[in-house]
Amino acid sequence: MSLRAETPAPPSARVHRFTRAERWVHRATAALMGVCVVTAAVLYVPQLAVLVGRRELVVRVHECAGLALPVPVLLGLASRAFRADLRFLNRFGPHDRIWLRAAARRDRRHASRPAGKFNAGQKVYAAWIAGATLVMLGTGLMMWFTRLTPLMWRTSATFVHDWLALTIGVVLAGHIGMALGDPEARRGLRTGTVSEEWANREHPLWRP
């Protein structure tokens, strides 16, 4: 019987997924969005409002975070890799329709959900959250600068802002839940690399 030590299995190959600039944009945007959501909850949930107090300060923090929300994306445009990601997110192909149909059928087989660097669900989420952020910024400005628009506009803006904020909270909860269920995707955003096995399984059309 041979007593030779077994050769350890080679570590899983790593694949570069995100640059430092891309990861910074995601983290900064997530932090500002988190501040907006938390401060909004304090402003609209009476129990939290009583617990925190300092309503005027909370309002100012909420306004500043909301105004700053587009800044990371605008700064990220200086990165070629980030601009390339925006193009990927903005383009839907035949494989994305297949992915969406599989998601509607709750078909979780990887073969039924072809994806490039971003899957169809991520593209839909990115488009929706970008549009919602612009609407929230516009309605928020109407609520802040009260003399710029008529009362009817401000009343409508308040209605849209409040209900869209609730919708954003629900969608963000779903987004975070999906992220918690995929440790390798989180590792990609944290370190910039993912395992080759994960890349081939989850995003088979990403790399040639």
Side-chain angles (χ1 to χ4, degrees), residues 128-129 132 136 160-174:
W128 187 89
I129 201 69
M136 292 294 285
V160 172
H161 196 89
D162 291 352
W163 282 102
L164 187 55
L166 178 61
T167 307
I168 288 175
V170 173
V171 172
L172 282 177

Side-chain angles (χ1 to χ4, degrees), residues 189-205:
L189 281 170
R190 188 175 64 253
T191 67
T193 64
V194 294
S195 70
E196 187 173 26
E197 186 269 336
W198 180 89
N200 293 335
R201 184 184 71 245
E202 299 292 340
H203 300 269
L205 306 180

Side-chain angles (χ1 to χ4, degrees), residues 14 16 18 23 27 186-194:
R14 306 297 295 176
H16 181 75
F18 295 117
R23 301 198 306 274
R27 291 170 185 170
R186 298 199 311 274
R187 188 175 295 113
L189 281 170
R190 188 175 64 253
T191 67
T193 64
V194 294

Side-chain angles (χ1 to χ4, degrees), residues 8-196:
S12 176
R14 306 297 295 176
V15 177
H16 181 75
R17 184 163 172 80
F18 295 117
T19 64
R20 182 176 298 178
E22 294 168 291
R23 301 198 306 274
W24 177 87
V25 170
H26 185 271
R27 291 170 185 170
T29 302
L32 290 170
M33 184 68 76
V35 171
C36 287
V37 170
V38 171
T39 51
V42 172
L43 292 172
Y44 286 100
V45 178
Q47 293 83 355
L48 293 177
V50 171
L51 182 64
V52 175
R54 304 293 297 275
R55 181 179 177 84
E56 189 64 27
L57 175 61
V58 174
V59 169
R60 291 292 169 261
V61 172
H62 183 78
E63 291 170 343
C64 291
L67 287 174
L69 197 52
V71 172
V73 173
L74 295 176
L75 293 178
L77 293 175
S79 165
R80 180 180 300 176
F82 181 69
R83 295 197 303 271
D85 275 358
L86 291 181
R87 287 193 292 270
F88 286 135
L89 286 168
N90 196 40
R91 293 176 181 172
F92 281 78
H95 61 280
D96 292 312
R97 290 192 289 272
I98 295 172
W99 193 100
L100 290 172
R101 285 196 293 268
R105 297 194 306 268
R106 298 182 181 275
D107 185 349
R108 298 184 179 276
R109 293 175 301 166
H110 297 296
S112 302
R113 297 192 177 194
K117 184 172 184 179
F118 303 103
N119 63 44
Q122 292 167 327
K123 292 178 180 181
V124 170
Y125 169 79
W128 187 89
I129 201 69
T133 299
L134 291 176
V135 173
M136 292 294 285
L137 180 60
T139 53
L141 289 172
M142 288 186 192
M143 296 162 61
W144 190 1
F145 298 102
T146 56
R147 297 184 179 182
L148 296 181
T149 54
L151 176 61
M152 182 179 296
W153 288 23
R154 298 198 303 273
T155 303
S156 301
T158 302
F159 178 84
V160 172
H161 196 89
D162 291 352
W163 282 102
L164 187 55
L166 178 61
T167 307
I168 288 175
V170 173
V171 172
L172 282 177
H175 179 68
I176 294 171
M178 294 290 291
L180 291 176
D182 195 339
E184 192 62 27
R186 298 199 311 274
R187 188 175 295 113
L189 281 170
R190 188 175 64 253
T191 67
T193 64
V194 294
S195 70
E196 187 173 26

